[in-house]
Amino acid sequence: MPSLEPRTASHEPSSKLRTDEPTLPGTDAAPAEPVSRAAGLLLLGLLTLSHWYPQGAFPGWSAVIGFGLLGTFALSGGAALRVCRQQELTLRPAPTVAFAAAASWMLWWGIRQGGAPVPALARPDVAAVFQGFLVFASAACIVFLWKRERHPAAPFPGRVVPRWLTVLAGVLALHALYQVLGPRGLPGTYATMAADIATDPAVATDPVLEGVLHALREARASGRLGSPNVFAGLMVIAFPLALGVAWGRWKGPALATAAVLAWGVVLSGSRGGLLALAASAMLFGVLTLAGLRPRRAAPLATAAALLFLLVLTGAESGDGPLARRWLGMTTVQQRLHYWETGWAIWRESPVLGQGPGAFEVYYPQHRVAGAQETGFAHNWIVQWGSEVGLAGLAFFLAWMGAAAALGVRWWNAVRGNPREREAMLLAAGIVAAAAGALAHGLVEFTLQYREIYLDLCLVVGLAVGCGATEVPARRAGHGVGTRVLAVPALLLLIACGFGWYQNGLAPAMAERARARAEWRMEDSDPQAAVEAYTRALRWQPDDPRLFEARAFARAAAGDPRGSDDVHRALALHPNSARLHATLAHWLAGEGRLHEAITAQREAVRLHPLDATHRMELAGMLWQAGRPQEAREALAATRELLLTPLEKARREALAAAMEQGSGEPGS
């Protein structure tokens, strides 16, 4: 809801709040209290479930979370409109801009999905954006319903939600620390997973799984979130919130939890997480000092910033200054390559973007030399700019800017008052948490991960809701707000429901059927797997991955229609080098080598830096009796960055060619 202000309050006024308005009849907020409490508990329960089963790990829970968020928005938004109908309303610029920009950001993703290169691949991101708006709007409406509580400067959600997120992050951090320091440890977990995938090279080369295994191999904490960098992102958000609730009887547990969260960031090995943690802690300290000791805040903040820069530029770390050493690290160089590639994709459509999911689709074609495999730009500006363009980024930045203004307004309204120190610390923690999440997203892919994005939307919703309560009410026509806002709110609810069905429910049901198909394949029942994949395709008829999987299941069942599925997958995703390579293998198995070579050449063209595609092409050319072209294709891999497995394969293929040089057709 935009800033909708009741005219009176039943509590003792704070020194910064306007309470000099006459009482209106029928404005008792008590009937809204149980509704807001129920909506708040439902929202926190759904987010807890989302963090415990992250990123759609269990499709059934993912569907429950989506429907639950729709219900939470309907419940809290309807209650807020009901309260507004009984009170005079006022529309203020900052809250109105925040809600309008958030809704525009969500709808823009839905509109641009029509231009996505592969709509099925974009659905998880679009679903996360829709869910994020529901979390943001629900949190803001719940705060609005509770703003006439006894302690107006820190409404009920403003106190409970930071404590909840702090406790949740602390539990996840302890779980991750046990994984690292427990009796089994991550090396044992890595050995078990590596043994399980050793027989499946296609799975072993998956970039997501490869990243998880890399983190396990280095004993980096990740907990249930699966990625050390994502785990660090959650700790970065929760850390300033833990400091913000460190007041009164919560002081000891909150400080202990903050220490555990900081330790979790260290054990995650995320350098971006450490920098974001330092930045958010510094911002929290500046806001706290400015609230407690305004005259000392400016010089202390300047000294802290200079010390931070001095450590980065002047601290010696064996090989020279710390900043120079970090810039020379492989991970930093890889991010520069990712951003260069993302900028190349962005330049092709700077205003509108290439559509959701475009970075993952077009990355292989624009990939610069030396860049590794990835599906993310590790920078939300580059990622979203290449996908939704400058127009989408403008909506997002307007949303964040308005939320920042409201958060600072809340902090400014309660600072300097000894009775409102708890509210001031909470305001500082919420603002620092949002800033830390955005800062971490500049060097990692955390904001492309559903749970971290929902956490950002949650704290932004708190900032908007709490900041809007500090806007002085202005007399308006009685009931005007209900007529003005009810129709847009209903349309937004319908849009969210449709967007969730298309981008959340349908993929979740398809994923459930796909999981059953994989179980059938493991049970050596390919025919049942084909039927399960067919059910999945009823939910997502435009998903090339399902057609590809059904093709392999049909091949195992002896069904000749598998090649048709491969061609249908290519029709949906013509820019996929992997699908062209799959078609080449299929054609080679049928003895159609010349057609297979053509398909494999297309795979090499689409992904020129993939050594596996070039080695497969060399093998096919050798079998076709074209040894000179085969050697040239194999020689081209020497200029590429190869993994140890790829180097061993190239040497084996070169040795085989050398031994059979007299009989290339063999």
Side-chain angles (χ1 to χ4, degrees):
M1 301 288 297
S3 177
L4 305 174
E5 285 297 313
R7 304 292 293 177
T8 65
S10 59
H11 50 263
E12 183 70 18
S14 170
S15 61
K16 298 280 185 172
L17 300 180
R18 287 279 303 275
T19 56
D20 55 348
E21 303 291 346
T23 303
L24 294 178
T27 59
D28 185 11
E33 291 182 3
V35 175
S36 61
R37 185 183 295 272
L41 294 177
L42 179 59
L43 178 62
L44 297 186
L46 292 170
L47 291 177
T48 302
L49 189 64
S50 173
H51 285 77
W52 203 251
Y53 298 106
Q55 199 73 1
F58 293 88
W61 289 124
S62 179
V64 169
I65 292 169
F67 281 119
L69 290 177
L70 282 171
T72 304
F73 176 53
L75 184 64
S76 60
L81 287 175
R82 181 175 178 272
V83 171
C84 295
R85 183 173 56 87
Q86 303 172 352
Q87 303 179 13
E88 292 188 19
L89 312 174
T90 178
L91 300 179
R92 292 294 186 172
T96 304
V97 169
F99 270 84
S104 300
W105 166 252
M106 175 192 69
L107 296 175
W108 182 250
W109 275 82
I111 293 171
R112 288 301 298 140
Q113 189 181 10
V118 184
L121 300 181
R123 287 194 179 115
D125 294 337
V126 178
V129 171
F130 275 82
Q131 290 181 16
F133 174 80
L134 293 174
V135 171
F136 160 75
S138 299
C141 288
I142 292 168
V143 171
F144 166 72
L145 292 173
W146 270 93
K147 67 179 180 178
R148 294 211 303 161
E149 202 188 8
R150 289 175 300 174
H151 191 42
F156 168 77
R159 294 198 305 268
V160 172
V161 172
R163 294 172 182 173
W164 161 81
L165 189 56
T166 298
V167 172
L168 177 62
V171 171
L172 293 175
L174 291 174
H175 179 265
L177 297 181
Y178 174 77
Q179 286 182 335
V180 177
L181 306 174
R184 186 180 181 186
L186 289 179
T189 305
Y190 167 74
T192 302
M193 290 184 64
D196 291 339
I197 69 172
T199 57
D200 192 349
V203 175
T205 56
D206 180 79
V208 177
L209 182 57
E210 184 180 358
V212 173
L213 290 176
H214 180 71
L216 289 174
R217 186 167 57 247
E218 296 183 350
R220 296 173 61 187
S222 59
R224 296 185 62 85
L225 297 178
S227 169
N229 294 326
V230 174
F231 171 76
L234 177 60
M235 302 298 106
V236 167
I237 293 176
F239 180 77
L241 295 180
L243 298 178
V245 300
W247 191 260
R249 60 182 180 179
W250 276 77
K251 185 174 183 180
L255 291 178
T257 304
V260 171
L261 298 177
W263 192 21
V265 175
V266 173
L267 290 184
S268 72
S270 173
R271 301 174 185 88
L274 289 172
L275 289 175
L277 185 72
S280 62
M282 184 181 301
L283 178 59
F284 175 83
V286 169
L287 292 176
T288 302
L289 286 173
L292 297 177
R293 300 288 188 272
R295 295 182 179 180
R296 300 180 183 179
L300 289 177
T302 303
L306 292 176
L307 179 62
F308 183 71
L309 294 175
L310 180 63
V311 169
L312 284 181
T313 58
E316 295 292 330
S317 175
D319 299 328
L322 186 61
R324 183 185 303 172
R325 183 186 175 191
W326 279 19
L327 290 175
M329 289 181 175
T330 303
T331 54
V332 176
Q333 294 299 317
Q334 286 300 316
R335 277 154 179 74
L336 296 177
H337 293 326
Y338 300 156
W339 301 344
E340 183 180 355
T341 304
W343 174 239
I345 299 172
W346 191 356
R347 286 200 305 265
E348 295 186 356
S349 182
V351 178
L352 300 180
Q354 298 275 53
F359 184 87
E360 180 182 1
V361 173
Y362 295 123
Y363 176 79
Q365 301 174 43
H366 297 83
R367 178 181 168 191
V368 300
Q372 298 177 353
E373 292 285 355
T374 185
F376 307 100
H378 292 70
N379 181 289
W380 56 267
I381 297 177
V382 177
Q383 179 92 26
W384 290 339
S386 63
E387 295 182 345
V388 294
L390 289 172
L393 281 178
F395 292 136
F396 182 78
L397 293 175
W399 177 24
M400 293 295 109
L406 286 166
V408 173
R409 172 183 289 168
W410 176 33
W411 168 82
N412 188 60
V414 296
R415 72 185 179 94
N417 187 348
R419 295 181 300 173
E420 307 293 359
R421 284 185 177 179
E422 181 183 5
M424 186 273 295
L425 288 172
L426 286 173
I430 288 174
V431 172
L438 293 173
H440 193 214
L442 291 175
V443 292
E444 297 292 355
F445 59 91
T446 49
L447 291 187
Q448 283 73 54
Y449 202 85
R450 184 187 65 179
E451 279 60 52
I452 306 302
Y453 181 75
L454 294 186
D455 291 338
L456 172 64
C457 294
L458 179 66
V459 296
V460 168
L462 290 179
V464 169
C466 294
T469 64
E470 306 305 327
V471 182
R474 183 169 56 190
R475 185 177 296 277
H478 183 66
V480 170
T482 302
R483 294 193 296 270
V484 172
L485 297 175
V487 173
L490 181 60
L491 293 177
L492 280 176
L493 182 61
I494 294 174
C496 289
F498 178 77
W500 166 243
Y501 172 80
Q502 183 179 9
N503 300 292
L505 178 61
M509 299 305 295
E511 181 65 19
R512 184 178 181 184
R514 186 197 62 80
R516 291 182 177 179
E518 292 182 351
W519 296 339
R520 294 299 185 182
M521 288 294 290
E522 292 177 359
D523 293 338
S524 301
D525 191 356
Q527 188 58 44
V530 170
E531 296 175 1
Y533 281 125
T534 302
R535 288 194 297 271
L537 283 166
R538 293 195 187 105
W539 285 101
Q540 283 207 108
D542 59 348
D543 193 338
R545 298 167 297 185
L546 293 176
F547 280 109
E548 182 184 12
R550 191 174 71 172
F552 285 109
R554 281 180 166 172
D559 189 340
R561 293 177 295 174
S563 60
D564 296 336
D565 283 339
V566 177
H567 283 94
R568 294 176 71 177
L570 269 174
L572 293 169
H573 193 352
N575 293 309
S576 173
R578 190 189 73 252
L579 286 177
H580 283 282
T582 300
L583 177 61
H585 280 282
W586 201 280
L587 295 172
E590 296 176 353
R592 301 156 63 182
L593 272 178
H594 292 289
E595 297 178 51
I597 290 172
T598 302
Q600 192 66 34
R601 287 190 186 277
E602 182 66 13
V604 171
R605 185 189 70 81
L606 291 171
H607 204 333
L609 298 181
D610 189 286
T612 301
H613 292 333
R614 291 188 179 274
M615 286 188 282
E616 293 289 345
L617 176 60
M620 291 178 185
L621 289 169
W622 183 262
Q623 292 179 12
R626 298 155 68 175
Q628 184 60 30
E629 295 180 57
R631 291 191 179 95
E632 292 176 357
L634 187 62
T637 61
R638 296 173 182 170
E639 302 175 358
L640 304 179
L641 182 64
L642 303 181
T643 64
L645 181 62
E646 290 172 339
K647 290 179 180 179
R649 185 178 180 186
R650 183 186 66 184
E651 293 173 1
L653 187 57
M657 287 184 180
E658 188 66 25
Q659 293 175 2
S661 58
E663 300 178 11
S666 62

